[in-house]
Amino acid sequence: MDLVSENKMNSESEGRPVPPTTLPLQGGATQRKKLSAPRISLSLDQSEDDLGETPDDLDINVDDLDTPDEGDYLDYTDHEMDWEDPSAAKSSEPYDPIPTYSAEEERRDGKLWRTVIIGEQEHRINMKIIEPYMRVISHGGYYGNGVNAIIVFAACFLPDSDREDYREIMENLFLYVISTLELMVAEDYMIVYLNGATPHRRMPGLGWLKKCYQMIDRRLRKNLKSFIILHPSWFIRTILAITKPFISAKFSSKIKYVNSLDELQELIPMDSIQIPECIIRLDKELKEAAENSKVNSFLQGPEPTAAARAE
C-alpha cells in the first residue's frame, strides 16, 4: 500500500463519529426495549426471483402425489442374510420353535434338587437319580411313650455296585438318608436294619458306613437307643467287627441281632413297619429250614457220646 492511499484512509476514518459505549433508553430505567423480528418469506418454488414472495394459497392434492408401488418396498425380513454369502440363504434351515415351559414342568424340575443343611454345611441332593432307591429309609411308627421314633433301613433297596453311576447314587443317597433321619427324629429313636434278602453286590461298603456314622449329628448319636439288625449275615457281622475301632464302645453295646420277624415283634410294635415282600419270603424260608432241621435231628436221634464210641 502506498503513502497516498494510507493518508486517504486515515482522513476518512477521522471524519466518522466514534461509536457510543452505552445505549440510552427512553422511558425510565425499568422500561425494556422492544425488538421486532425480521420478516421471513418462504416459497415452495426454488427460483431466486420468487424468494421474496409468499404464496397466499397452498393447494396440494394428495391423490396426485406419486407413491411407491408394492414391489418398491424393501424386504427387511431377511436383513441378516444381506451380510452373508447369497448361497448360504438356500442351504440354511429354519429355526425350531422355542418349546413352551409350563408351570407344572417348572414345579417338577424344582423338585429334582433338594438343598439340605448337614453339619452346618449346605448340600444339594439330586432327587431324580435316587428316586428308585428312596424306599431304603422309612418311618416305622413309634414305641415307648409315643414320641420315640422307629427308623427302618432296608438294604435290599440299595443300588447294585456294578452300575456306572453307583458312586454318584450312593453320595446323593447318603445325603438323603442323613437329612431324612434328622427330619424324622425329635427325641429318642431306634434303627431297624433289614439285612436279609440283600445280595452281596448291594451291600453298602465299609467306607460308606463309616462316612454315615461320622456325619451323623452328635444329638442323633446320643438319642439312638438301639440298633437292631434283622437276619444278620456273616458279611454284616464281619463289617461291624472291622468298624469297631471307629465307633465307640457305647454305640457297639446298642447293636442287637434278631434272626426272625417273630423275635423282632417281641421287641417293638410292628403295626406301622412296612416289611418288603422279599424279607417276608426269606423269613418264611428260614423258619421252614429251621423246623426241618429240628425234625431231622429228632429223627436221627441223639448223637452217641464219646464213651459209647469207645465201647
Side-chain angles (χ1 to χ4, degrees):
M1 184 180 296
D2 54 359
L3 182 60
V4 178
S5 59
E6 182 178 358
N7 294 335
K8 185 177 179 180
M9 293 179 60
N10 292 336
S11 62
E12 291 179 357
S13 62
E14 290 177 358
R16 295 179 182 177
V18 179
T21 58
T22 60
L23 181 63
L25 300 176
Q26 297 179 358
T30 59
Q31 184 176 0
R32 296 182 180 180
K33 185 177 180 179
K34 297 182 180 180
L35 300 178
S36 60
R39 185 176 180 180
I40 301 177
S41 299
L42 299 178
S43 176
L44 296 178
D45 192 359
Q46 296 181 355
S47 61
E48 296 180 356
D49 298 338
D50 298 336
L51 288 177
E53 298 179 0
T54 302
D56 297 334
D57 187 12
L58 183 62
D59 187 9
I60 299 177
N61 189 359
V62 178
D63 296 333
D64 296 337
L65 297 177
D66 293 334
T67 58
D69 297 333
E70 183 178 359
D72 296 336
Y73 287 102
L74 295 178
D75 187 7
Y76 292 97
T77 56
D78 295 332
H79 61 280
E80 294 182 358
M81 300 303 298
D82 295 338
W83 302 95
E84 299 178 359
D85 187 6
S87 61
K90 300 180 180 179
S91 61
S92 61
E93 297 180 357
Y95 293 100
D96 296 333
I98 300 176
T100 58
Y101 196 60
S102 63
E104 180 63 25
E105 292 175 343
E106 184 176 357
R107 286 192 297 268
R108 185 173 63 251
D109 290 349
K111 296 179 181 179
L112 296 181
W113 292 89
R114 177 186 295 180
T115 303
V116 296
I117 305 297
I118 301 176
E120 299 181 355
Q121 292 184 359
E122 183 176 299
H123 303 271
R124 296 194 67 194
I125 304 176
N126 188 346
M127 301 300 294
K128 184 177 181 179
I129 197 173
I130 66 172
E131 184 178 0
Y133 314 104
M134 293 175 60
R135 291 183 297 171
V136 71
I137 186 171
S138 60
H139 199 291
Y142 299 91
Y143 72 98
N145 55 3
V147 296
N148 301 329
I150 301 175
I151 308 300
V152 180
F153 188 94
C156 58
F157 293 133
L158 290 173
D160 293 341
S161 58
D162 56 354
R163 293 179 57 96
E164 295 181 357
D165 55 351
Y166 177 77
R167 183 183 183 88
E168 183 180 1
I169 293 175
M170 292 300 288
E171 289 179 355
N172 285 271
L173 191 61
F174 160 76
L175 296 174
Y176 173 75
V177 170
I178 298 299
S179 60
T180 304
L181 189 61
E182 293 182 351
L183 294 175
M184 290 182 177
V185 174
E187 301 292 339
D188 296 341
Y189 70 104
M190 69 167 55
I191 295 178
V192 178
Y193 185 88
L194 305 181
N195 181 73
T198 304
H200 180 72
R201 66 180 184 275
R202 293 187 181 180
M203 294 297 297
L206 177 60
W208 193 83
L209 293 175
K210 179 182 177 181
K211 186 177 180 181
C212 283
Y213 178 79
Q214 293 175 345
M215 289 292 291
I216 292 178
D217 187 75
R218 183 178 179 276
R219 176 184 66 87
L220 295 177
R221 296 184 191 179
K222 182 179 180 181
N223 293 345
L224 179 62
K225 299 305 177 182
S226 181
F227 190 89
I228 302 176
I229 300 177
L230 178 64
H231 301 139
S233 61
W234 65 268
F235 180 78
I236 194 66
R237 291 177 183 269
T238 304
I239 289 293
L240 292 176
I242 296 175
T243 56
K244 269 192 175 181
F246 307 106
I247 60 179
S248 62
K250 189 175 182 180
F251 180 83
S252 299
S253 62
K254 300 177 182 180
I255 299 176
K256 298 179 180 179
Y257 296 106
V258 176
N259 296 318
S260 65
L261 291 173
D262 294 336
E263 295 182 15
L264 181 63
Q265 191 172 4
E266 296 176 358
L267 299 176
I268 58 174
M270 301 284 293
D271 300 336
S272 302
I273 298 180
Q274 298 180 359
I275 304 296
E277 290 295 330
C278 58
I279 299 293
I280 297 176
R281 290 195 301 267
L282 175 65
D283 186 78
K284 184 178 180 180
E285 294 174 359
L286 293 177
K287 186 183 297 184
E288 293 176 354
E291 292 177 355
N292 293 334
S293 178
K294 292 180 180 179
V295 172
N296 293 334
S297 297
F298 176 78
L299 295 176
Q300 293 177 1
E303 295 183 359
T305 61
R309 294 195 192 98
E311 293 179 355

